[in-house]
Amino acid sequence: MPSVASFKERPPALAEKAGCSSESGSGSDAAESLAALAAEVLDPAKERKLLLKLDSVFVPIVMMVYLSCFLDRSNIGNVKVAGMPADIGASPAEFSTAVSIFYATYVAFEAPWAILLKKLTPRFLLTALCVVWSMATVFSGFITSVGGLYAARLVLGACEGGLFPGLNLYLTMVYKRDEQGKRVSYLFVCTALSGAFGGLLAYVILKMDRVGGYAGWRWVYIIEGILSVLAAAVVWFCLPDDPSDAYFLGDKEKHMMRVRAAQRARYMGSGEFSWEEVRITLEDPKMWISGAIQFCQDVLLYGFSTFLPSIITSMGYGSLEAQYLTIPVYMVGGLSFMAFAYVSDRLCVRGPFILLANAFGIAGYVLILCPTANGVRYFGTFLCAAAVYNGPGLNLTWLNVNVAPHYRRAAAIGFQQTLGNTAGIVAGQIYRQAPYVLGNGFSVGAIGLAQFLVVAKWAYVRRRNDEKRRIQTGEIADERSIKTGDRELDFKYHL
């Protein structure tokens, strides 16, 4: 297979037929100026330098805001082992409901926020959401009842529901198809880092127990909420609404961004919202299969990331000890995802890497469930981490690169995430009592189902690629009703 760089030296339509990196083709109905830009050949060395500059600015911002988001969402697992349920009089069932109720508003707002991102502008929408959920986290430190916890979690879910699809969609406005896997991996690395950093931060903050008359778990909420307010300020002042006209780019770099935008014009599509694109999305089997896979993988993600301290405690470790024992597990999960995403981008292959990561997860959950030594069961959590982060991340990237144009992709991301994140409701109910046999057993079953769904989706997109090839070669007539966006004949789906 030729290198990824070599594809970038060819006109878009030829590159797509040669390999994996083209996004648009050279549509005959495109404006002459757009066609001229799309045909322009960028110097590979200068384009790599541009990518490095984009990464140096966008990646830290994206990672910071998503890190704060997931930290505020998952810290309920840290405060649980620190005595929060007893302090507010929450029973195990009520605490599980508090974990699950977050996803009621989270999934309800994901698709609307994703679709509204362009209209409201990324900078305004993401900053506003970040400020509101930050304040909800701070006020969580002052709750005194189960009702207050429920209210805080509902507000948190409504705001955080717009962040992941928003950031993910923003990345598609900056990077090409073969560049996205690694960048989306940064978001899921933040999920892992939030667990590692959250465990370390909680370990330190819990030592503030009774400072100012407040329990340690209250300080966890207050301090982490304040940190998220700072992240909102960074988004407001540093995230440009139009990446191609970013303040940190020179004139030549802005021209290169316009060329890159033209080369993926059909991939991005019109800037005008269209309900027709939403309808096409809802009729697309790729989106529904992807949503089902995401649901299965998110059962792992939300169960593992929220209850890992409790799972480790159930192995016989102390509550404070469990906080820092989560750190290496999360780090291994994040690093494994970066490695998988990098190779996945290089090969433009997604499905097989999900299958491989899930195989590690199955082995890990089996070790946790078996009556083995605590050290062996703890080792199992490291194997689980590979599936926990690779599965959802690679599956989302797989959808990103296979749906076009912009609003069709925005709707697909929103609906897929809505379907997937309903798993958070399930995760809160299956992890109720130690030693969490139900939760871990349900999780390994979810991975097994995901394996079958991944194979089904791989077979489906392979069949669609073959259908396009046969139409191009004249073997069969083109009787498809939709022929735009990712249905263009020179748009090759990633397997």
Side-chain angles (χ1 to χ4, degrees), residues 291-301 420 423 443 445-447 449-450 453:
I293 296 170
Q294 199 73 6
F295 175 87
C296 294
Q297 302 288 169
D298 280 353
V299 168
L300 277 65
L301 178 63
S443 295
I447 304 180
L449 178 57
L453 292 170

Side-chain angles (χ1 to χ4, degrees), residues 158-458:
C159 294
E160 290 195 3
L163 184 68
F164 186 80
L167 291 177
N168 186 63
L169 196 57
Y170 190 85
L171 291 176
T172 69
M173 297 163 63
V174 181
Y175 298 102
K176 295 181 178 180
R177 293 174 73 201
D178 58 298
E179 299 165 353
Q180 287 179 28
K182 185 167 67 173
R183 277 75 188 186
V184 172
S185 77
Y186 295 143
L187 295 180
F188 281 89
V189 166
C190 286
T191 303
L193 287 177
S194 72
F197 181 64
L200 178 61
L201 193 60
Y203 178 76
V204 174
I205 297 175
L206 287 174
K207 292 184 178 294
M208 295 176 61
D209 193 38
R210 300 308 163 190
V211 171
Y214 292 113
W217 66 265
R218 294 186 183 276
W219 283 113
V220 170
Y221 276 130
I222 294 169
I223 292 176
E224 291 183 359
I226 292 172
L227 292 176
S228 294
V229 174
L230 298 178
V234 172
V235 173
W236 178 256
F237 289 108
C238 300
L239 190 73
D241 282 327
D242 182 4
S244 64
D245 194 37
Y247 58 88
F248 56 87
L249 297 176
D251 290 339
K252 291 183 179 179
E253 292 167 327
K254 289 180 180 179
H255 176 74
M256 291 176 67
M257 289 293 286
R258 287 193 291 272
V259 171
R260 285 164 56 86
Q263 289 176 348
R264 66 179 193 274
R266 191 173 297 167
Y267 177 56
M268 292 302 295
S270 169
E272 298 298 321
F273 174 75
S274 168
W275 282 109
E276 177 66 11
E277 298 294 357
V278 177
R279 182 191 68 79
I280 293 172
T281 299
L282 290 173
E283 295 177 353
D284 189 349
K286 296 195 306 295
M287 188 275 290
W288 291 106
I289 301 174
S290 180
I293 296 170
Q294 199 73 6
F295 175 87
C296 294
Q297 302 288 169
D298 280 353
V299 168
L300 277 65
L301 178 63
Y302 296 131
F304 192 85
S305 60
T306 301
F307 293 99
L308 182 58
S310 298
I311 293 171
I312 293 177
T313 301
S314 72
M315 296 177 185
Y317 299 98
S319 59
L320 281 179
E321 194 177 13
Q323 303 288 356
Y324 65 75
L325 284 176
T326 63
I327 298 172
V329 178
Y330 289 126
M331 294 301 293
V332 167
L335 291 173
S336 71
F337 185 29
M338 290 188 69
F340 273 57
Y342 175 79
V343 179
S344 174
D345 268 357
R346 294 289 294 180
L347 300 179
C348 296
V349 172
R350 316 295 175 178
F353 286 97
I354 301 175
L355 294 173
L356 177 60
N358 281 346
F360 285 104
I362 291 172
Y365 278 108
V366 169
L367 288 180
I368 294 174
L369 286 166
C370 290
T372 56
N374 287 338
V376 175
R377 296 170 67 200
Y378 177 59
F379 172 72
T381 64
F382 287 88
L383 298 179
C384 292
V388 165
Y389 299 107
N390 275 292
L394 291 176
N395 183 52
L396 177 61
T397 303
W398 201 6
L399 182 69
N400 278 355
V401 300
N402 282 343
V403 178
H406 174 85
Y407 278 110
R408 196 181 301 176
R409 186 168 59 258
I413 293 170
F415 289 127
Q416 187 244 38
Q417 288 295 293
T418 297
L419 291 170
N421 284 314
T422 55
I425 300 172
V426 175
Q429 300 305 308
I430 59 178
Y431 282 94
R432 285 196 172 190
Q433 292 183 334
Y436 306 109
V437 174
L438 174 61
N440 293 324
F442 196 99
S443 295
V444 75
I447 304 180
L449 178 57
Q451 298 290 72
F452 287 104
L453 292 170
V454 169
V455 172
K457 184 181 176 184
W458 183 89

Side-chain angles (χ1 to χ4, degrees), residues 28 74 132 323 374 443 473 481:
S28 59
S74 60
V132 176
Q323 303 288 356
N374 287 338
S443 295
T473 58
S481 59

Side-chain angles (χ1 to χ4, degrees), residues 29-77:
D29 59 343
E32 289 185 6
S33 58
L34 187 64
L37 278 174
E40 186 172 333
V41 177
L42 296 178
D43 183 283
K46 291 181 179 179
E47 191 169 15
R48 285 194 295 269
K49 187 176 180 180
L50 173 64
L51 281 173
L52 184 62
K53 192 169 187 178
L54 293 172
D55 286 345
S56 67
V57 176
F58 287 128
V59 169
I61 296 172
V62 166
M63 290 187 71
M64 177 185 294
V65 68
Y66 195 64
L67 175 63
S68 69
C69 163
F70 213 85
L71 193 63
D72 291 343
R73 179 194 316 180
S74 60
N75 56 17
I76 191 170

